[in-house]
Amino acid sequence: MMWGVASVISVSLADAYFLGKLGTDELAAISFVFPVLFTLISLGIGLSAGATSVVSRMIGAGSTDDAQRPATDILLIGAVISLLVSVLGAVTIAPFFSLLGADGAVLDFIEQYMIVWYLGLPFQVVSLIAMGLIRANGDTLAPSLAMVVGALINIGLDPLLIFGAGPIPSLGIQGAAWAAFGARGFIFLVAFALIAFREKLLTPTLPNASEARRSFGAVMRVGLPAAGSNMINPLSISVVTAFMASYGNEAVAAFGVATRIESFATVPMLALSSAIGPVAGQNWGRGADERTRRGLALSFWFLAAVGIVLGVVFWRFAVPIVHLFTDDSAVQNLAISYLQLVGATLAGYGIVIVTSAALNAIDRAFLGLFVTILRSFILYIPLAGAAVIFGPPWLVFAGIALANVIAGLLVAWLAFRWARLDRA
């Protein structure tokens, strides 16, 4: 899963690298776009979590044959919902991003990018759900390989379509969106083939009313709060991006660069949050509750070790890393400050997302949603907002670091005290 997640996040880094060559306005545009994209993608991640939870528990309980109906239904649900979201998003690009603080040339670049990006959203959502179903059956290798190859396609197309080459025209920021579209198409075809022909988790029959209600209810009981949990973090980044707009486009660009680097650095944490789902779900399904608890405890120790390493790396190497993405000294200085202040506290963020994923897998998704709300809406946004009122950008970064520390400690305590994972 680390390879798969790293490949996906490397695409956002590649976009930032290539678009940074075009100018600060393009970099600011993609910085506005980045958290919004992940908010929308989280819709697919949440539906995937719902499908993974239901199917993994069925497999753990020995009811593999009963998994076809909910697996098929959730793929249909994801396709319909993502089509509706794409249409709504396409007609609200300008007013929505204007609310976030984008204007002028930056808003024009955002519109060019997003209109293409929305075309590929249904492919991505359905692919995410299919990948979750494959992982629920115990295979993380095939989804990861598909994501790696898709990322390589995307990164390979980026410079060709952004800058042009030979007969290929220069498309600028829209070229990055078309590169992503091509990669999504490939991953969609691979995921659908695996789920249909190898896993045999699809059924060609339409559900009757009773089956539809049962499948929809089982999946959405986890899927809706899981989607909310996954949407909250990028949504909170969007809010803080709007806060940063009050400092100017350089601050927005710096925040965008830093959060992209941060997302790549947290690949082990994100991969672990994906891996904990089938482990917790299958063990919970067969009644092995203690193994679920032990898996979560081991995860926390792993996250603490990764957090220490990241803190050291960012303190020592933030300067050369940031210099790869921009030549603007103002953007560089702010991005370096972010990484050095926030980097040492990322273990707290990891504890939140891994705990949330484990709770989703054992059908306690609303507790998973709560721990995410605790970190983002109760701590992250208020502390960052207060810092904007009282001080310079680095104070915002300090507020984010403090939110990570408090959230990590509270959620770790809740996981084994208040939300003990005891079977209700």
Side-chain angles (χ1 to χ4, degrees), residues 23-33 106 110 249 252-253:
T24 300
D25 283 347
E26 287 87 350
L27 194 56
I30 205 69
S31 298
F32 274 110
V33 161
V106 172
I110 290 172
N249 285 341
V252 172

Side-chain angles (χ1 to χ4, degrees), residues 11 14-15 18 148-163 165 168 175 179-180 183:
V11 171
D15 284 349
F18 291 121
V148 169
V149 176
L152 292 174
I153 291 171
N154 196 328
I155 294 171
L157 290 174
D158 257 350
L160 291 176
L161 298 179
I162 292 172
F163 304 112
I168 301 174

Side-chain angles (χ1 to χ4, degrees), residues 242-370:
F243 292 162
M244 298 303 294
S246 65
Y247 296 113
N249 285 341
E250 289 81 5
V252 172
F255 186 65
V257 167
T259 51
R260 273 172 167 71
I261 296 169
E262 175 189 74
S263 66
F264 190 81
T266 55
V267 161
M269 301 177 184
L270 296 169
L272 184 58
S273 73
S274 295
I276 196 70
V279 172
Q282 286 197 24
N283 281 291
W284 193 259
R286 67 170 57 98
D289 300 1
E290 180 55 34
R291 291 195 69 194
T292 300
R293 284 191 287 268
R294 191 163 74 252
L296 193 59
L298 290 170
S299 296
F300 288 171
W301 285 111
F302 175 78
L303 292 168
V306 170
I308 291 170
V309 171
L310 289 179
V312 173
V313 169
F314 280 137
W315 187 259
R316 177 65 182 84
F317 299 107
V319 174
I321 292 172
V322 169
H323 282 200
L324 291 173
F325 294 90
T326 178
D327 296 325
D328 188 311
S329 60
V331 174
Q332 289 174 348
N333 291 336
L334 288 172
I336 291 165
S337 295
Y338 179 98
L339 293 174
Q340 290 183 338
L341 283 170
V342 178
T345 68
L346 291 175
Y349 167 67
I351 288 171
V352 171
I353 61 173
V354 168
T355 300
S356 179
L359 291 168
N360 290 339
I362 64 168
D363 202 18
R364 293 196 169 188
F366 281 100
L367 288 177
L369 177 60
F370 170 77

Side-chain angles (χ1 to χ4, degrees), residues 25-41 85-118 121 173 177 184 234-235 237-246 249 252 260:
D25 283 347
E26 287 87 350
L27 194 56
I30 205 69
S31 298
F32 274 110
V33 161
F34 177 67
V36 177
L37 301 190
F38 273 83
T39 302
L40 295 172
I41 291 171
V85 171
S86 294
V87 173
L88 179 62
V91 299
T92 58
I93 295 172
F96 179 78
F97 283 94
S98 294
L99 285 175
L100 293 182
D103 57 16
V106 172
L107 184 57
D108 291 339
F109 288 133
I110 290 172
E111 290 185 279
Q112 293 174 35
Y113 185 92
M114 290 302 297
I115 196 66
V116 175
W117 190 86
Y118 277 121
L121 180 61
I173 194 170
R184 288 180 192 174
L235 181 61
I237 293 175
S238 293
V239 173
V240 176
T241 301
F243 292 162
M244 298 303 294
S246 65
N249 285 341
V252 172
R260 273 172 167 71

